[in-house]
Amino acid sequence: MSVQAAAAPGAAVPQKDFVEQTYTKVFWRLVPFLMLCYVIAYLDRVNVGFAKLQMSQELQFSETVYGLGAGLFFIGYFLFEVPSNVILHRVGARVWIARIMITWGVISGAFMFVNSATSFYIMRFLLGLAEAGFYPGVILYVTSWFPSHRRARVIAVFMSAIPVSGIFGNPLSGWIMDAFNGAHGLSGWQWMFLIEAVPAILVGAAVFVYLDNKPADAAWLSEPEKAVIERDIAAEREGKTESPHSIATVFRNGRVWFMSLIYFAFVTGQYGLTFWMPTIVKASGIQGNLNIGLVSAIPFLFAVFVMILLGRSADRMRERRWHLIVPALLGAVGFVVAASTGSTVIAIAALSVAAGGVLTCAPLFWSLPTAFLAGTGAAAGIALINSVGNLAGFASPYVIGALRDSTGSTAAGMYALAVMLVIGSLCVFVTPKALVNR
């Protein structure tokens, strides 16, 4: 039986309503769960920003020590990213994502035992090793379920986990640190690491039961529904020029490295924002860990709406260039205004614009490389772009910390973030339109 006949009996092609219903079903089955996983992952990655408010004083960490430790996560992440994603491609997302989550949960909880700069550096590096492969693995996983013209909205909703983790995680972290400080002889930041590690282990175990590696494995899809998805994915892969089996080809591909540069610029802004948000909000005059958490949730709440709105718009219009350039430039403006004003209200409003802009760039960006990478080449290419781009996660907090130590202010660092966002937008502008708009 042909795909067309299986998908819509009596019709030459699948009916539009049936196709839409199929992808809606897949969306609600997979994307909210993957988003939950990423909320937990991102919270465990950046909750060190809240721990800093107590930990740095208690352990006598300078701003540079904190920035270096926060960034070392991405060195471990970089070293194991490509091999981790290639392993995921071979063994399947279900097993490998479950392994990643359980491992990082254990290591994140062990942060409660950090007692020196050296142990802080080691644990951040190990956390990066453990988590490597999760994010690019999910991006790769999505390519098996959704064709490229449906991915911007899917990835935008998935990546809205970043601001969602800030909306709920920042107040939670602040509350834990205030409420549990001193309980059973442990500081509030130690309790925060321990408590917030538990969901990663539990949800990691659930991944093994809940996820299916590909549509053919999904008992919750009918045969006609599977046929629709497999037809669309197969048709898309026929138009990709990259070798589906050569990892070496990916490393020699200039386009892949150019994508890495664009992503590096956007990630610089992203982690400059997320790792330093509590410090920036505190510097604006807000006092108390819970209050800092509540106020720092405002920019992330705004970012959720911007991400979803622009993701839908990009898919509907099938336009990527200006949907990337405009939020990047708005993010740059937000950083400049936040760094220049003396008003708490204006600073928070500007940070909201910065968050909406910079956090929107990443999900829309992934429509570019997934449009021309396939097979094992996609696994290696996505991981390479993500790992190189995420080296900005090392550079950004370290440079901001060093600038803050030398100048006594975060303003210089925020200006640097704005410059990187402008560079990223210029690189998108010179990217061939035929690649961007698919």
Side-chain angles (χ1 to χ4, degrees), residues 49-326:
F50 255 92
K52 171 186 179 290
L53 300 179
Q54 286 182 348
M55 184 174 65
S56 288
Q57 182 175 5
E58 186 174 313
L59 301 181
Q60 299 298 301
F61 289 173
S62 68
E63 302 294 318
T64 304
V65 167
Y66 164 72
L68 177 59
L72 277 172
F73 169 94
F74 295 96
I75 300 301
Y77 200 81
F78 172 79
L79 293 175
F80 199 53
E81 189 85 325
V82 173
S84 179
N85 225 33
V86 172
I87 293 171
L88 181 145
H89 180 68
R90 292 175 179 172
V91 307
R94 185 171 63 94
V95 171
W96 199 243
I97 290 178
R99 192 284 305 164
I100 290 172
M101 293 191 69
I102 293 170
T103 304
W104 96 52
V106 171
I107 293 175
S108 184
F111 266 79
M112 65 181 293
F113 300 112
V114 167
N115 57 14
S116 66
T118 300
S119 60
F120 179 51
Y121 295 156
I122 292 171
M123 293 301 294
R124 287 294 294 177
F125 177 80
L126 291 177
L127 187 65
L129 282 180
E131 193 184 320
F134 173 78
Y135 175 81
V138 171
I139 299 298
L140 178 65
Y141 182 66
V142 165
T143 66
S144 297
W145 295 85
F146 298 93
S148 62
H149 67 275
R150 296 180 181 271
R151 280 183 214 140
R153 173 173 172 259
V154 169
I155 297 175
V157 173
F158 168 66
M159 289 196 66
S160 66
I162 295 176
V164 167
S165 72
I167 293 168
F168 295 103
N170 285 359
L172 175 64
S173 296
W175 176 77
I176 291 173
M177 287 170 61
D178 283 344
F180 287 82
N181 191 36
H184 300 285
L186 297 176
S187 299
W189 62 269
Q190 292 175 299
W191 279 110
M192 185 202 69
F193 281 125
L194 178 62
I195 292 171
E196 292 183 355
V198 173
I201 298 172
L202 297 179
V203 176
V207 166
F208 189 78
V209 177
Y210 188 81
L211 285 188
D212 297 292
N213 289 327
K214 55 185 182 296
D217 298 334
W220 45 275
L221 285 176
S222 67
E223 291 304 318
E225 289 168 338
K226 294 177 183 178
V228 165
I229 298 170
E230 290 168 353
R231 178 210 60 194
D232 289 349
I233 299 300
E236 180 180 80
R237 286 174 178 168
E238 287 177 2
K240 297 182 179 180
T241 59
E242 302 301 320
S243 168
H245 57 271
S246 175
I247 297 175
T249 300
V250 170
F251 280 86
R252 294 193 300 266
N253 190 319
R255 185 182 289 172
V256 170
W257 288 103
F258 188 67
M259 293 291 109
S260 300
L261 172 61
I262 296 173
Y263 197 51
F264 184 95
F266 293 157
V267 170
T268 297
Q270 175 183 321
Y271 285 113
L273 179 78
T274 53
F275 277 127
W276 288 94
M277 178 73 83
T279 300
I280 295 170
V281 171
K282 184 177 181 179
S284 72
I286 304 299
Q287 299 297 317
N289 292 321
L290 177 57
N291 291 333
I292 292 171
L294 291 170
V295 172
S296 63
I298 295 173
F300 293 115
L301 181 62
F302 179 75
V304 170
F305 293 104
V306 175
M307 290 174 72
I308 295 175
L309 178 66
L310 288 183
R312 288 179 175 176
S313 175
D315 275 351
R316 184 178 64 254
M317 300 176 65
R318 296 203 181 189
E319 195 285 328
R320 312 297 179 193
R321 183 191 303 268
W322 292 105
H323 280 81
L324 274 168
I325 293 173
V326 171

Side-chain angles (χ1 to χ4, degrees), residues 240 242 250 253 256 368-375 377-382 385:
K240 297 182 179 180
E242 302 301 320
V250 170
N253 190 319
V256 170
L368 276 63
T370 56
F372 65 87
L373 293 168
I382 292 170
I385 293 167

